[in-house]
Amino acid sequence: MVGSGLSAHNRLVRRNQFRKGPVDLLKRRLRTWMALVMTAMLTGLTACSGNAGEPVNPNAVELKFMYWGSNDEKQAMEKMIQSFNASHPNIRVKGEHVPGDYTTKINTLMAANQLPDIAYLAIRSR
């Protein structure tokens, strides 16, 4: 492919991406996008926090984080939330694990205007 602007390696990588199908490519892009969003949010929260040596602020900002997953994922998420809360005394993240129908829960909270501050979201492939 003379003049295509892509090296042989890049053409091969691109061809292999399409062999996996558009749904796999969409899922990969979504995971990458979600990781970037979470990184940006946590970076922003970190910038707002004070020194870790200060006593806990009773007027700390409280954020509600809703997520789903297995019990193992729940335990891992609880550890991450505890670690974040310990290192950011001016921010308190409260995790809420939804073991059942997450979509119904989010839709119900949306109808009641009580959505969490941070939540897992996914694109449903059809």
Side-chain angles (χ1 to χ4, degrees), residues 108-122:
T108 303
L109 290 172
M110 186 183 305
N113 199 24
Q114 296 178 351
L115 285 170
D117 301 300
I118 306 166
Y120 277 0
L121 296 177

Side-chain angles (χ1 to χ4, degrees), residues 41-86:
M41 289 173 62
L42 291 176
T43 302
L45 292 175
T46 302
C48 296
S49 68
N51 294 333
E54 295 177 3
V56 175
N57 182 356
N59 297 322
V61 174
E62 187 171 294
L63 298 174
K64 184 177 175 184
F65 171 51
M66 187 178 292
Y67 59 97
W68 74 85
S70 67
N71 284 331
D72 292 334
E73 290 171 309
K74 178 184 176 190
Q75 290 173 359
M77 192 59 67
E78 287 172 349
K79 288 180 184 177
M80 286 189 282
I81 291 170
Q82 288 174 356
S83 175
F84 181 87
N85 287 339

Side-chain angles (χ1 to χ4, degrees), residues 100-111:
D101 189 359
Y102 188 81
T103 303
T104 301
K105 176 82 171 182
I106 286 287
N107 288 336
T108 303
L109 290 172
M110 186 183 305

Side-chain angles (χ1 to χ4, degrees), residues 14 18 20 27 32-34 40-41 67 70 81-82 89-90 93 98 112 115 118:
R14 194 154 177 84
F18 287 111
K20 292 180 181 178
K27 285 180 183 179
T32 302
W33 183 83
M34 290 296 289
M41 289 173 62
Y67 59 97
S70 67
I81 291 170
Q82 288 174 356
N90 293 329
V93 176
V98 179
L115 285 170
I118 306 166

